[in-house]
Amino acid sequence: MIPILQYMTINLEHILQITHIHRLLEPAPLAFMILIGLVILHLISRKNAPIYLLNFVCYRPPNSFRLPMSMFLEHVSLDEAFDEKSLQFQIKMLEKSGYGQQTCIPPSLTQLPIKKKYPFSVEEAETVIFSIVEDLFRKNKINPRSIDILITNCSMFCPTPSLSAMIINKFRLRSNVMSYNLSGMGCSAGIISVSLARDLLKVHRNSLVLIVSTEMLVMNWYTGKNRSMLLTNCLFRMGGVAILISSRNQDRKNAKYTLQHLVRTSYAQNDHSYNCVYQDVDSEGEVGVSLSKDILNVAGHALKANIASLGPLVLPYSEQIRFLISLIHQKIPRLMRRTTLYVPNFKRAFEHFCVHAGGRAVIQAIEASLRLSKEDIEASKMTLYRFGNTSSSSIWYELCYLEAQRRVKRGDRVWQIAFGSGFKCNSAVWKSVCDLDPKIDNAWTDMIHLYPVDVPDVVKID
């Protein structure tokens, strides 16, 4: 009997323990569900945390850096590196470029012979970067030590120490600042920098980000005879932008824009696209960047893929339905009368367009493809006319232009479209959240009263 009694006693105690624990855990399911709910809400809030664009400053070169067309003609005529065919080709391209007399290059490139050496590239970088960063800090009364994340992008110039380290040293940023230096990503690298900033701010909440987007010309001025590489001399000009982005709640009242959407498209897996913008060595050993004749077709395919992803995020349902119906017409011609594919009206989604000023042909192709008006692409054409192709910073010169013209109102949506080597097409959508200061001072304000201007198809260089 004793073993049986012991067994019953032990099991009774075990049952009591289980019952006691069960009673204690009765409220646990409710508490557990509340905890799970709070975690989900926290993750959603981190994912959808607003990204504020506080301000940005574009570089305005001094008048002494100007490269009027007559000066360009004289320069290439006296440069022994160019033969007659190379000279005539560059003149022809520049006459059709849509450029004015205000575009600028570094002083070392206007000397004969040109000073295409490393120290002058460093001097160019310091001139552009230090001036825009200092101006941005001054205008926004920012202490450099308050910067938490620093991102720089420059495709063709990657020194050691990096450009980001150069900024940290100059402005004495904190030792724990998170710095990133992007290179080789082409004219769309500015939006890639914003994308990186957005992703970092999801992890590092309540942080302040400084983005510097630029391109250096000195070491990349081509002195050979390959026509596809000579194009870069006719297209690229001096420029840069410094951008201040934040996820801090305290910056909400000081923000100019909030980031709504960002869509990136890369066609680097396609050999044809990969090779259309390519740094290489010509037959004489000169390094240059070759621009393929097919670049417009490649850009068109990349744009279609990009807007296919962006469209559902921004277009009203009526536009999406019309596009879907036309797509069905295209896919099933036997069942329905075949019609042309409907191009959505993106002006129902955006008030302003900043199309990368990569060249006159690029702007015109986008204008035709998206059925934009002359006013829609005015900022792009005027930026190309005054500043030329400043690579990744061009879309910010365009937004500068719109602000200087007092066209951006509270609630307006801005679509920035940029193309780059790889080949890439990237889009960023910003929403204005404030009324702009009527006394705004930016890269355009000194001459904005002269714009817009008529840009002739061809300008003969005397």
Side-chain angles (χ1 to χ4, degrees), residues 320-343:
Q320 296 187 48
I321 292 172
R322 293 181 69 179
F323 175 77
L324 181 61
I325 292 174
S326 70
L327 185 62
I328 293 173
H329 280 228
Q330 290 280 311
K331 298 296 183 181
I332 319 177
R334 292 181 181 179
L335 299 180
M336 299 182 180
R337 183 170 57 87
R338 188 162 186 165
T339 59
T340 57
L341 190 64
Y342 175 71
V343 178

Side-chain angles (χ1 to χ4, degrees), residues 158-306:
C158 189
T160 300
S162 66
L163 296 178
S164 59
M166 187 186 298
I167 295 171
I168 293 171
N169 178 262
K170 170 67 176 179
F171 296 97
R172 298 296 188 260
L173 271 61
R174 301 196 316 266
S175 60
N176 64 340
V177 65
M178 292 174 281
S179 64
Y180 301 85
N181 193 86
L182 308 181
S183 64
M185 306 198 77
C187 300
S188 65
I191 292 182
I192 295 174
S193 292
V194 174
S195 175
L196 176 59
R198 177 197 61 180
D199 294 342
L200 287 170
L201 288 174
K202 290 179 181 179
V203 179
H204 305 282
R205 297 296 301 274
N206 296 316
S207 296
L208 192 61
V209 183
L210 171 63
I211 297 175
V212 177
S213 183
T214 187
E215 191 57 77
M216 300 297 113
L217 303 182
V218 171
M219 294 295 290
N220 300 292
W221 192 263
Y222 179 64
T223 55
K225 300 177 178 62
N226 187 314
R227 289 192 175 189
S228 65
M229 294 179 175
L230 282 169
L231 278 171
T232 57
N233 293 355
C234 305
L235 291 177
F236 291 97
R237 295 295 182 264
M238 199 174 186
V241 62
I243 310 163
L244 202 59
I245 291 180
S246 172
S247 64
R248 303 185 305 185
N249 293 329
Q250 67 209 56
D251 291 324
R252 180 183 304 175
K253 61 182 179 180
N254 299 321
K256 295 173 72 173
Y257 303 90
T258 57
L259 181 63
Q260 301 291 293
H261 306 285
L262 197 148
V263 176
R264 293 169 53 182
T265 304
S266 175
Y267 265 57
Q269 69 276 13
N270 180 279
D271 291 341
H272 187 60
S273 300
Y274 177 76
N275 291 311
C276 72
V277 181
Y278 200 86
Q279 186 178 25
D280 206 350
V281 179
D282 66 13
S283 58
E284 298 180 354
E286 291 288 338
V287 178
V289 177
S290 174
L291 303 180
S292 169
K293 294 180 180 179
D294 297 328
I295 191 170
L296 287 181
N297 291 330
V298 171
H301 291 303
L303 177 64
K304 288 179 182 179
N306 188 264

